[in-house]
Amino acid sequence: MKKLYIAFIVFFTVLLLLPFTVQTVADLRGEKRFVSLDIFKDVVYTPFKRESKMAESAAKLNDAWFAARESIAGGAEVGESLEGVVSALSDLEAVALSMNSYAELDTAEADYKLLKLADTLVAALEDEPETFKTVDSTLKAVVAEFGHFSVWRALCGIKHYGVWTSRYLRAFENKVEDENALVLKFRPQYQLAVWKLFNEPGEKVVLGSDCDPEKNNCAKRPGRWLFYRQDVEFLVQPSPLDVRSAKLDNPVQAILKFRDQLKAKGVELLVVVVPGKPSIYPERLSRLPLDSGKVNSHGKMILDSLAALGLNTVDLYTPLMAAKKYDERFGPLYLDDDTHWTPRGAELAAAVIAGSVLQLSAAGVIDLGSEALRYVPVDSSADRMGDIGEMSGLNKFDVFKVQQVTGHVVYQQAMDERILASRLLHVHDSVALEIDTAKTPFKDDFRKSKILILGDSFSRIYQTDAPVNAGWIAHFARNISRPVSSIVSDGGASTLVREKLARKAGVLKGKKLLIWEFVERDLRFGAEGWKTIEF
């Protein structure tokens, strides 16, 4: 009997150590960093290496600021003189904000606030020379704080951001799950087997139908739609404002706080909640007839409550729900096996948001300025490999096909069309070709724009990936004929994108409106919750 116990213990010990052993061998044989030892490295090495790098970066910042002061005193341009300071400060921030391989410095920390203040003051110095003394004292404080090796600070970092904290272990677990050699080897075959046996697309995916039961076209269109499980769970779980969700951060309070912070800087806030795919197409989740013309979403109810509290909001639920009546003619508003909208949905959203902004301008709430730009759309196509299909792990087996989408890439037209049409090149005195050199791709303009957009992957899709400059941001600029700027964080529009803004708060200078776009599921599942971020 004892031998049997020993055999069981040995067997389960081997099972427990197998993933670690396989990963260790894979790391030693490959070129990837040694992920298996990150936990040990982040206890005995990384925090102290960070201290050394911070001291080096602070010394470079001190030298750059000394050179800048001498240059400015000699009559040089402030902007050119500060280039070295901006670069050195950015390098210091990159080191100081990363506590170890997996944890970032909390925005509530005094060190974070000091770096953010220095960043903001340096960015504004060119236009506010009277703040020179404040900038000087702040940068000296930064150098004094980070310019020396501190064992105590390293130990505190290990205590509050180390392997015994949930923030570290959660990130480490996700990394191991994504990169473990044993998982990467066998998970795809396992997922394919489960799909073939049970028609189950994976734990993150809900299988829908590419048909509308109200129109009785399910037999004619037997294809599949995929839904992201969190999108579905957001609809069926209690509202984030429900008493049963008391442990969650309150998104309304965070949004109101952000509105007040922006108002103090002279910037208006416009909140855009993007409906999830199942909110607009609930009938594709069930073969049972549903009231597909009615919005029944926590996101819409929270949006209405924000509007009742006096916030500027954009309702995308109503126009998207109305527009899907024309899907048979123009195609659906959301992609087949992706969480995001099609180019049609993105362009419709851009038009609705632009209409709200123009109304705010007409009412005198914001000043868009008088400098209008001309943007023109050009047809373009791209292939999309759906993100939900990739989550299932089945795309590599061609279970779900690549979907081709057609949108409109936006270009800035710098010249009147009549002048442009007259620009001709004569070839062999017989062929006339129009040269369109005045058309340039759309791009963010942080200097001239009065509008800053904060967004998530719904702001990124088609904008920075194929077909590029065809997302809602570019079409929004086209609809209002004004330059815009944007900061985008995939999956992090609840908190992470505001943290990005806090790190470079100088971009708010000259802005009159901030458009905050996030998908409705983030009201409950937003990365890092709904923290209050100080600006």
Side-chain angles (χ1 to χ4, degrees):
M1 185 64 70
K2 291 183 178 180
K3 291 183 179 180
L4 183 60
Y5 288 156
I6 293 174
F8 271 114
I9 292 173
V10 171
F11 175 73
F12 285 109
T13 301
V14 170
L15 286 181
L16 288 173
L17 292 177
L18 184 61
F20 179 85
T21 305
V22 171
Q23 185 61 42
T24 301
V25 173
D27 288 341
L28 290 173
R29 295 178 60 185
E31 298 180 356
K32 292 183 179 180
R33 62 187 177 86
F34 203 39
V35 177
S36 302
L37 293 182
D38 277 349
I39 288 180
F40 307 102
K41 184 180 70 175
D42 287 337
V43 173
V44 301
Y45 174 76
T46 305
F48 303 100
K49 183 64 176 178
R50 172 176 175 266
E51 288 295 324
S52 297
K53 288 184 177 179
M54 286 195 299
E56 293 173 6
S57 299
K60 292 179 181 178
L61 175 61
N62 187 50
D63 294 341
W65 177 237
F66 178 80
R69 285 184 300 176
E70 294 293 314
S71 180
I72 294 172
E77 290 285 339
V78 175
E80 295 179 0
S81 302
L82 290 176
E83 288 180 0
V85 178
V86 172
S87 177
L89 182 58
S90 177
D91 291 343
L92 175 58
E93 288 179 332
V95 175
L97 297 180
S98 296
M99 298 300 298
N100 48 50
S101 303
Y102 299 95
E104 295 289 319
L105 183 65
D106 196 285
T107 56
E109 296 278 3
D111 286 351
Y112 181 95
K113 294 178 180 179
L114 178 60
L115 287 169
K116 180 202 65 177
L117 176 62
D119 190 32
T120 303
L121 290 173
V122 169
L125 181 58
E126 182 177 1
D127 298 315
E128 300 174 6
E130 67 276 7
T131 63
F132 183 88
K133 290 185 178 179
T134 304
V135 175
D136 183 57
S137 62
T138 302
L139 289 178
K140 287 179 178 178
V142 170
V143 172
E145 176 65 27
F146 298 100
H148 63 283
F149 189 102
S150 173
V151 175
W152 176 250
R153 182 166 52 201
L155 294 175
C156 288
I158 294 173
K159 177 182 178 182
H160 298 294
Y161 296 91
V163 300
W164 19 76
T165 62
S166 60
R167 75 178 91 194
Y168 185 99
L169 291 175
R170 190 181 303 115
F172 180 80
E173 181 184 11
N174 291 337
K175 190 74 172 180
V176 170
E177 286 182 358
D178 291 339
E179 294 189 1
N180 185 270
L182 195 63
V183 172
L184 293 176
K185 177 69 175 177
F186 294 107
R187 178 189 285 168
Q189 285 74 18
Y190 169 78
Q191 290 173 323
L192 181 62
V194 171
W195 169 256
K196 288 183 175 180
L197 291 172
F198 306 108
N199 207 33
E200 174 56 51
E203 61 179 11
K204 295 182 179 180
V205 184
V206 175
L207 189 63
S209 175
D210 184 22
C211 64
D212 186 345
E214 290 185 350
K215 297 180 180 179
N216 295 318
N217 62 358
C218 291
K220 297 178 182 178
R221 300 171 61 182
R224 301 180 179 92
W225 260 29
L226 301 183
F227 291 85
Y228 182 33
R229 188 170 297 276
Q230 277 195 355
D231 279 333
V232 179
E233 289 178 351
F234 174 76
L235 299 182
V236 299
Q237 290 187 10
S239 165
L241 305 184
D242 192 281
V243 293
R244 291 169 291 179
S245 304
K247 293 183 179 180
L248 299 176
D249 293 338
N250 188 310
V252 173
Q253 291 179 1
I255 293 169
L256 289 172
K257 174 67 174 178
F258 190 41
R259 187 270 310 270
D260 295 340
Q261 290 173 319
L262 293 173
K263 271 191 175 295
K265 297 179 180 294
V267 181
E268 285 288 331
L269 174 65
L270 179 65
V271 178
V272 179
V273 179
V274 176
K277 188 174 174 180
S279 287
I280 303 300
Y281 290 97
E283 68 279 3
R284 301 288 181 98
L285 279 167
S286 173
R287 294 283 177 139
L288 299 175
L290 299 172
D291 187 357
S292 58
K294 181 181 178 181
V295 177
N296 186 19
S297 168
H298 299 317
K300 179 63 166 64
M301 290 184 283
I302 292 176
L303 185 71
D304 291 342
S305 68
L306 291 172
L309 291 171
L311 278 91
N312 302 312
T313 61
V314 175
D315 173 18
L316 292 180
Y317 291 85
T318 303
L320 286 172
M321 189 65 76
K324 78 173 187 177
K325 293 186 296 185
Y326 306 100
D327 283 2
E328 290 289 339
R329 180 177 178 184
F330 300 110
L333 296 161
Y334 286 74
L335 296 164
D336 293 357
D337 62 347
D338 198 291
T339 56
H340 303 98
W341 42 34
T342 59
R344 178 189 169 215
E347 292 180 25
L348 173 59
V352 175
I353 297 169
S356 296
V357 171
L358 292 175
Q359 287 180 3
L360 291 175
S361 177
V365 177
I366 58 172
D367 176 17
L368 294 179
S370 58
E371 182 183 358
L373 300 176
R374 176 176 173 78
Y375 296 98
V376 294
V378 177
D379 289 354
S380 182
S381 298
D383 291 335
R384 290 288 311 176
M385 180 62 75
D387 60 355
I388 310 178
E390 290 182 348
M391 292 177 203
S392 73
L394 297 171
N395 270 352
K396 62 187 66 178
F397 301 108
D398 294 327
V399 172
F400 308 113
K401 303 299 182 182
V402 172
Q403 182 176 0
Q404 186 177 71
V405 297
T406 301
H408 301 90
V409 175
V410 175
Y411 291 86
Q412 181 179 338
Q413 191 84 61
M415 187 180 298
D416 186 87
E417 280 188 332
R418 292 170 296 178
I419 300 175
L420 183 63
S422 67
R423 292 171 61 94
L424 301 175
L425 172 67
H426 293 276
V427 182
H428 303 304
D429 294 326
S430 60
V431 181
L433 299 176
E434 183 178 326
I435 303 179
D436 188 353
T437 58
K439 204 162 55 177
T440 58
F442 167 87
K443 64 179 181 179
D444 282 350
D445 191 336
F446 283 92
R447 182 174 292 274
K448 294 182 180 179
S449 66
K450 294 182 179 295
I451 298 176
L452 175 65
I453 296 169
L454 300 186
D456 56 14
S457 57
F458 278 83
S459 292
R460 181 261 305 155
I461 190 171
Y462 315 126
Q463 190 66 28
T464 56
D465 54 6
V468 182
N469 295 325
W472 82 262
I473 293 177
H475 284 280
F476 167 76
R478 178 172 71 90
N479 286 325
I480 65 170
S481 301
R482 297 293 191 281
V484 300
S485 52
S486 62
I487 299 175
V488 174
S489 177
D490 269 20
S494 60
T495 292
L496 298 182
V497 77
R498 287 183 292 137
E499 290 181 340
K500 279 189 175 183
L501 175 62
R503 294 190 187 109
K504 45 184 178 180
V507 301
L508 284 174
K509 184 180 178 181
K511 302 298 181 287
K512 301 299 181 183
L513 177 68
L514 187 145
I515 301 175
W516 189 10
E517 173 273 314
F518 52 85
V519 68
E520 64 176 3
R521 67 172 174 270
D522 276 2
L523 290 165
R524 183 180 187 89
F525 300 113
E528 302 299 323
W530 288 83
K531 296 179 182 177
T532 295
I533 307 298
E534 297 298 332
F535 290 87

